[in-house]
Amino acid sequence: MDLGVLISGRGSNLAALLDAIAEGRLDARVRLVISNKADAAGLDHAKAAGVPTLVVPHGEYSDRASFDAALVAALREHGAEWVVLAGFMRLVTPVLLEAFPYRVVNIHPSLLPSFPGVDAQAQALAYGARITGCTVHLVDAGTDSGPILAQAAVPVLADDTRDTLAARILAQEHALLVRVLASLGAGRLRVGASEAGKRPRVSLRGEASAFGLAINEGAPGAEAKAR
Ligand code: GRF
């Protein structure tokens, strides 16, 4: 599996992918890491792993489509066949999506369709959700609106802050992203026939039960303290 990974910041999901690859848990290669921000800390993870990096500042492009065209050119040049949005804070356009059909994947820190967009963890906390989690989905032109591939759930605890909740979700993100990519790389993506006006159903063959509700068993006192 030849991956191009797009980031904007910390890059912990990128690091999780690189670790999984190094440890033989994911049969893939990261061909290129692109950041739209020059100071993204995640670029250091790529460099440490010997992965080529590129900064493509979105502000230098007149519109989203021309920015995406630059991304596509770089991804193709480096041999990427799948694109992972790992904390990439830009909406993508059909220019990218049509270059990699059904091959652009995003990780989002909520159980979509709840809490799309920025700071999903704070949204869940503010809403009073008792369970939240993370979602890996195929990307479409909307905000976190593409077909869901897999989700993992975590409890929201009574004394959670935005940061404690985000950390609990993040641990699940790292595991889920690796598992989903392994599944995609093994050819398990199924795209159903599309009915008029509806998008096709997608699923990961043979993985439905494995990707079921996964309450974080590591959270100390989760049951007692859950609200
Ligand atoms: C993650 O919470 C991811 O779900 C969201 O942005 C965050 C990126 O974190 N899309 P990192 O840069 O991978 O550490």
Side-chain angles (χ1 to χ4, degrees):
M1 216 186 181
D2 294 302
L3 306 176
V5 182
L6 308 190
I7 64 170
S8 296
R10 177 181 56 184
S12 71
N13 279 287
L14 166 65
L17 291 183
L18 293 169
D19 287 349
I21 291 168
E23 292 164 12
R25 291 180 284 115
L26 178 61
D27 183 11
R29 290 143 303 276
V30 180
R31 295 295 190 195
L32 176 65
V33 171
I34 303 179
S35 173
N36 63 314
K37 297 196 169 178
D39 61 355
L43 290 169
D44 294 337
H45 294 305
K47 288 172 189 158
V51 170
T53 61
L54 186 66
V55 175
V56 184
H58 60 272
E60 292 182 3
Y61 295 82
S62 55
D63 55 27
R64 291 181 192 280
S66 56
F67 173 63
D68 279 8
L71 301 182
V72 168
L75 289 163
R76 285 196 168 136
E77 185 188 327
H78 284 80
E81 294 189 341
W82 293 81
V83 181
V84 182
L85 309 187
F88 184 62
M89 302 300 285
R90 306 295 302 167
L91 282 180
V92 301
T93 69
V95 171
L96 180 77
L97 299 174
E98 287 167 13
F100 297 95
Y102 293 99
R103 287 193 166 200
V104 184
V105 174
N106 183 46
I107 174 100
H108 181 77
S110 75
L111 295 176
L112 291 170
S114 293
F115 314 127
V118 294
D119 213 345
Q121 304 94 333
Q123 291 186 55
L125 208 53
Y127 198 90
R130 278 12 179 217
I131 295 175
T132 185
C134 54
T135 301
V136 177
H137 64 94
L138 292 178
V139 175
D140 65 13
T143 302
D144 304 318
S145 54
I148 291 170
L149 295 173
Q151 297 183 304
V154 305
V156 181
L157 305 186
D159 54 359
D160 263 337
T161 63
R162 186 259 172 219
D163 288 349
T164 59
L165 179 58
R168 189 175 308 117
I169 296 170
L170 194 63
Q172 297 296 323
E173 290 185 39
H174 296 163
L176 192 69
L177 185 58
V178 169
R179 287 171 63 175
V180 168
L181 287 173
S183 213
L184 291 170
R188 298 204 184 109
L189 180 66
R190 290 292 172 269
V191 180
S194 53
E195 296 167 38
K198 294 185 183 169
R199 67 185 183 198
R201 266 185 84 107
V202 302
S203 60
L204 287 173
R205 182 172 51 84
E207 294 292 339
S209 57
F211 287 132
L213 191 69
I215 293 286
N216 182 359
E217 289 158 6
E223 281 179 31
K225 292 200 295 185
R227 318 191 257 199

